[in-house]
Amino acid sequence: MTHSAPGSVGPVLPAVLDEAAHRCLVAGFDGTTTVPDTLKRLIDRGLGGVILFTRNVRDADQVRQLTGTLRALRPDLLVAIDNEGGGIGHLVAADAPEVPGSWALGVADDPALTAACADALAGHLLSLGITASYAPVADVQSRPENPIVRTRSFGADPELVSRHLRAWIEATEARGVASCAKHFPGHGGTVTDSHHELAVDPRPYDRLDLAPFRAAVDAGVPMLMSAHVVFPALDPDRPATLSPRILSELLRGELGFDGVLVSDALEMKAIADRYGEAAGARLALAAGADQVIVAVPDLEVTLACRDAVLGALGSGELAEERVAEAAERVRRLALRYAVLPYRPDDLAAWDTGAGPAAARRAVRRGGFLPEPVPGAHLVDCFPPPHPALNWGGEDLLTELTALDPTATGTAVAGEPGDAGAFGALITAALRAAEGRPLVVAVCDAELYPWQARLRDALVAARPDAVLVSTGLPEPGSAVCAYGRGRVNLRATAEVLTGRMS
């Protein structure tokens, strides 16, 4: 039996090889209740997995029905999602447990608490029929100006990151959910976000942050995700996702990883702009990846990647043995995690208090913790939400007024439009704060100079202002949230008001 697809190019392949090629793909799609016909055809031919996003989530019952529909089409289909915690998640509407981001867990530095948070996230995933989580982040936040890792990392110390990785992976494994340490061999040493352009880590080999990935492999992590980052010390010509030296020689050979290696999303500009998604799929599999992710819901992009792989197999440009090896790893992963071995009612409960406890501990371990400031006026500055990470734009003002209805303020989500708007914002804030405490919160102001300008102007007029950092700690901050997840912001509001939620 052979297969060919409408619009595909190249020779027709034997069914077993066609199915193997499809197992190497993970597809995003649109829809909350129905599965597109194109996706059904891909699943029928062996598609390895799907990745869900906020666009696929309406509520918990709907997600359960959707994953059930997907699994009915193919029981060994991996259903995955990004589920890092903090502000990085897609399941808020599906009653996701509130846990802080990884940096706050690193500040709390209690691996048992990290494990409890990971268990809560994994238990919730299982209750929805999701069995693969593209988390935790193994990157070390090595460059202060890094624009993409930051509070998604457990910290700047490889040993600290390693011990919290182990706790997270082991807790997730105990639930029967596949975890995925990312982004190999590290994205924390760059000054570029690979969602937007190709990133480079210029450090020599002996200064790369490989220790957390070694720890993840030792902990039995079943998946690793590659970085769209060039490491000249390892391969000056190709990003890690497309580099045989990094994926096959370093990861497989030196680190001894034999699980599923999945690429970061191919539509990210670091790959799409320089190589194109289709060529990226072919090159990544040839380099040693086992699965490639096409996260965009446009299934034509997935089909183009699939056709590029089939064409390369037909021409001999991509070795059949390489794809067969990759598909076998995916098959083993699916046998271990894809089929649900339980009824949802049988799931053990998770600790809903672990996340708030971790967030509170982190806030209280950083900054100078001023006396409560009841009736404060807050100016909360933060960048627009990152579209790929789906942070929901939660603001501190909402959490502050929930605990102190006499508080007022404004949430500044992005740079004011012009000098006039900037000045008007300052004037209005100072007027509103007359005779009451002023709180000024910024999020990674060193990356966003408009926040620093606004903060400095307000402090110049009000030297008594209380400064808050909701990203990485800023100099002079009295309170540090270590992330903009809702639970981080609530813990910060508790400190500012002296009240517990």
Side-chain angles (χ1 to χ4, degrees):
M1 181 179 179
T2 59
H3 278 294
S4 63
S8 63
V9 295
V12 175
L13 299 176
V16 65
L17 190 55
D18 183 89
E19 180 174 344
H22 281 79
R23 277 194 182 272
C24 296
L25 299 171
V26 177
F29 65 99
D30 265 330
T32 57
T33 57
T34 59
V35 178
D37 288 342
T38 299
L39 184 61
K40 288 180 180 177
R41 289 192 290 271
L42 285 166
I43 292 172
D44 181 61
R45 289 178 59 178
L47 184 73
V50 294
I51 180 170
L52 304 182
F53 285 88
T54 302
R55 62 178 178 252
N56 305 115
V57 177
R58 192 173 63 222
D59 56 54
D61 286 340
Q62 166 267 318
V63 175
R64 291 186 190 100
Q65 293 174 11
L66 179 61
T67 59
T69 298
L70 289 164
R71 199 163 275 109
L73 293 170
R74 190 175 186 95
D76 63 350
L77 180 73
L78 288 162
V79 181
I81 198 165
D82 283 324
N83 205 44
E84 297 175 21
I88 313 300
H90 301 273
L91 294 170
V92 172
D95 307 319
E98 292 193 336
V99 304
S102 295
W103 192 278
L105 294 173
V107 172
D109 199 12
D110 181 346
L113 201 52
T114 293
C117 289
D119 174 73
L121 292 175
H124 179 246
L125 289 185
L126 275 187
S127 78
L128 300 177
I130 301 170
T131 55
S133 173
Y134 294 130
V137 169
D139 305 320
V140 177
Q141 174 57 27
S142 300
R143 293 283 291 270
E145 64 272 47
N146 180 284
I148 185 60
V149 174
R150 306 192 73 76
T151 59
R152 298 169 66 196
S153 169
F154 287 109
D157 174 11
E159 291 186 6
L160 179 145
V161 172
S162 296
R163 62 176 170 267
H164 287 277
L165 273 177
R166 284 190 290 267
W168 184 293
I169 291 165
E170 290 168 1
T172 305
E173 176 66 23
R175 279 283 183 181
V177 172
S179 57
C180 179
K182 60 187 184 184
H183 308 80
F184 183 81
H187 206 323
T190 74
V191 295
T192 303
D193 177 356
S194 58
H195 290 90
H196 302 312
E197 59 183 303
L198 190 65
V200 177
D201 187 331
R203 293 177 293 174
Y205 174 79
D206 60 0
R207 292 188 58 201
L208 297 179
D209 299 309
L210 296 177
F213 293 99
R214 296 183 192 277
V217 172
D218 290 345
V221 70
M223 290 191 291
L224 285 177
M225 180 181 289
S226 65
H228 300 332
V229 175
V230 172
F231 297 83
L234 299 172
D235 185 337
D237 299 319
R238 288 187 175 182
T241 295
L242 310 182
S243 169
R245 165 70 185 99
I246 295 174
L247 301 189
S248 295
E249 296 180 30
L250 177 60
L251 181 58
R252 300 296 190 193
E254 295 182 34
L255 270 65
F257 178 64
D258 193 39
V260 168
L261 174 58
V262 61
S263 78
D264 209 342
L266 293 179
E267 70 273 8
M268 292 166 64
K269 298 298 185 183
I271 299 297
D273 283 0
R274 180 164 298 210
Y275 302 92
E277 296 93 335
R282 169 178 56 80
L283 291 170
L285 292 175
D290 300 310
Q291 282 191 313
V292 293
I293 295 176
V294 183
V296 290
D298 182 358
L299 288 167
E300 291 301 317
V301 179
T302 302
L303 289 177
C305 292
R306 186 274 310 274
D307 289 347
V309 172
L310 294 179
L313 283 168
S315 69
E317 188 177 7
L318 180 59
E320 294 183 11
E321 295 80 7
R322 170 78 272 276
V323 173
E325 173 193 51
E328 176 58 20
R329 287 199 183 100
V330 175
R331 188 191 69 83
R332 293 199 306 262
L333 185 77
L335 286 176
R336 185 172 169 188
Y337 296 101
V339 180
L340 300 178
Y342 70 95
R343 295 180 305 171
D345 293 343
D346 294 336
L347 282 177
W350 49 85
D351 183 358
T352 58
R360 289 178 182 129
R361 191 180 302 182
V363 168
R364 284 163 173 77
R365 289 192 66 173
F368 307 107
L369 300 187
E371 292 298 316
V373 285
H377 183 78
L378 166 69
V379 180
D380 181 22
C381 306
F382 52 95
H386 193 298
L389 303 181
N390 246 86
W391 166 59
E394 293 83 5
D395 63 86
L396 180 57
L397 180 61
T398 298
E399 301 302 329
L400 186 67
T401 55
L403 296 180
D404 179 6
T406 68
T408 60
T410 183
V412 187
E415 183 173 4
D418 54 33
F422 197 87
L425 178 60
I426 293 170
T427 300
L430 292 173
R431 184 180 299 120
E434 288 179 359
R436 61 197 307 185
L438 174 63
V439 178
V440 181
V442 296
C443 179
D444 295 332
E446 66 180 318
L447 297 183
Y448 303 97
W450 67 267
Q451 293 189 44
R453 294 199 309 272
L454 182 55
R455 175 197 61 203
D456 294 347
L458 291 171
V459 171
R462 285 288 302 268
D464 62 330
V466 176
L467 300 184
V468 175
S469 298
T470 59
L472 292 181
E474 303 275 350
S477 294
V479 185
C480 299
Y482 303 106
R484 289 199 65 92
R486 184 171 285 112
V487 71
N488 301 90
L489 299 178
R490 185 175 304 131
T492 302
E494 290 173 354
V495 168
L496 292 172
T497 62
R499 303 175 184 178
M500 295 286 284
S501 56

